[in-house]
Amino acid sequence: MNPDAATLQPDACYLALQARDARFDGRFFIGVTSTGIYCRPVCRVRMPKRENCRFFGHAAQAEREGFRPCLRCRPELAPQSVAWSIQDASYILAHQAARLLDEPEAWADNSPSVEQLAKRLGVSDRHVRRIFEAQFGVSPVQYLQTRRLLTAKQLLADTDLPMTQIALVSGYQSVRRFNSAFVEHYGLNPTQLRREGTATPAHGFAIRLGYRPPYDVQAMLGFFRKRRISGIEFVSAEGDGNKTGRTLAIESAGKWHKGWLVAEFDETRHQLVLRVSDTLHEVLPIVIHRMRAALDLDADPMAINSVLHESFPHGDGLRVPGAMSGYELAVRAVLGQQITVAAARTLAQRLVDRFGEPIATPLPELTRLFPEPAVLAGAGGDALGQLGIVKQRQAAIVAIAQAVAEKRLALHGGADVQATIAALKELPGIGDWTAQYIAMRSLRWPDAFPAGDVALHKAMGVQGGPHPARAAQAASQAWKPWRSYAVIRAWHAMTIPQESQ
């Protein structure tokens, strides 16, 4: 089912609503004309009559038609509908525009405008408005307004942050504008959306994030567990809960925000419960967006599996592990060049122990931060060499750190993929494998493909040929535009006992 309004099939949507099928969560929303409320397909309220239902591909479309978000199923918890395509240019451009609007780090310290969006895409603002409205049925401004309101609604419901802070972190310049937008769109004052009786954790505050099943939680946590660096992150032992946590430093508006977070899967509800330290409340939208990317919560399994299931029948629930820091992931990718995962983990541990800043947290497992870009940018070769890092990788680490510190290199989902890959490959010690790996996990590009990966050659059965990278690249064309997911499934298939496949 395509999430675009023009191609939604109302009868099919109603059947999904009747089944409360979580696979369709976020792919469409239901406006109920008898109540003026719009809901997710998983909402547990009494089933509305078919003639009272209208179906929308995006929350912004429902709000434009005057529907208010349901206070029970909470549309802001739904995973986003991230579309990737190799269709016509207008389709691709419109979805790239939406992706940029959804990425809080794509705009530095400024609030995005249609003019800025058009400049980033290299077209006129009139063209952006035209293709955006044709694709989504709303203007870019209406789309962004809905995103801001739903972000604010989530913070009102799940945290006890002061109203002024919620208004600011949601993108509003003043509380007056914030209150006005809420009353205009929802007919409610923001204080009326505060959830009474919400349990407050002993440390920090908790936020719920939705995802679509199937989701192989154990595979995702196993991937991170194998690469865990003591002091900055932890992953619960298999069979001892589905939890992971880490320290985190985020620079925003010239200020560093440092703290910790813990994420626990609630598989029954298809949700992630994210607990965040109070010190990160000013950058909460960034934290939430990064966590969704790190655990790939917005993936659409139905679209991905329609392309990959035949080749990887045991991988329907696998997601692409991302990163809470694209810079950190890039440094760790360099450390992992041409060595085993265990060896790369050892080098990364030494780097954190030597250069990582200590941090006080209520969790004994979390005691350090990953070294900031400015720290590694100024690290000498002797200091890195003493950790067992060879000269080629020393140069690559310093170059990445310098480029990020000087803001010449952005490593997040809002960055231009091809331009960033090219910029990475211009740095010393960065080849195609490293650039593609960074694109897959930091830039969240679903079609990255590290064709030179030896383990991938083995999984694809091309390692014995004269040109395995070329053979892998050719074979991968059938998996477009989901080759990043194919890579994860190929790697995972190598860990499954042959008799269970």
Side-chain angles (χ1 to χ4, degrees), residues 19-81:
R20 295 186 170 90
D21 194 333
R23 294 176 301 169
F24 295 94
D25 192 12
R27 289 176 62 84
F28 68 89
F29 296 88
I30 307 96
V32 183
T33 57
S34 58
T35 63
I37 302 294
Y38 75 93
C39 301
R40 299 155 62 191
V42 295
C43 191
R44 293 290 174 178
V45 298
R46 188 174 67 180
M47 186 64 56
K49 295 180 179 179
R50 171 66 182 84
E51 59 267 25
N52 292 337
C53 294
R54 293 183 60 190
F55 301 98
F56 304 96
H58 300 272
Q61 295 168 352
E63 294 198 2
R64 185 194 61 176
E65 297 301 315
F67 291 94
R68 304 187 310 276
C70 177
L71 298 182
R72 182 167 181 177
C73 70
R74 302 177 57 196
E76 71 271 16
L77 299 185
Q80 296 178 18
S81 184

Side-chain angles (χ1 to χ4, degrees), residues 103-145:
E103 174 58 69
E105 294 184 89
W107 304 99
D109 305 323
N110 301 314
S111 179
S113 66
V114 176
E115 291 73 18
Q116 291 172 316
L117 183 63
K119 185 177 180 180
R120 288 284 299 271
L121 295 172
V123 297
S124 70
D125 53 351
R126 182 173 177 271
H127 187 57
V128 167
R129 289 190 184 93
R130 184 178 63 79
I131 63 170
F132 202 97
E133 292 189 19
Q135 187 63 44
F136 299 107
V138 295
S139 71
V141 172
Q142 290 172 317
Y143 184 94
L144 184 60
Q145 176 81 301

Side-chain angles (χ1 to χ4, degrees), residues 192-215:
Q192 294 175 271
L193 290 177
R194 284 283 192 191
R195 299 183 72 192
E196 296 182 3
T198 300
T200 302
H203 301 284
F205 41 83
I207 299 168
R208 287 186 172 268
L209 309 174
Y211 62 85
R212 303 178 187 91
Y215 191 120

Side-chain angles (χ1 to χ4, degrees), residues 88 318 335 393:
D88 65 274
L318 294 176
L335 292 175
R393 291 177 201 143

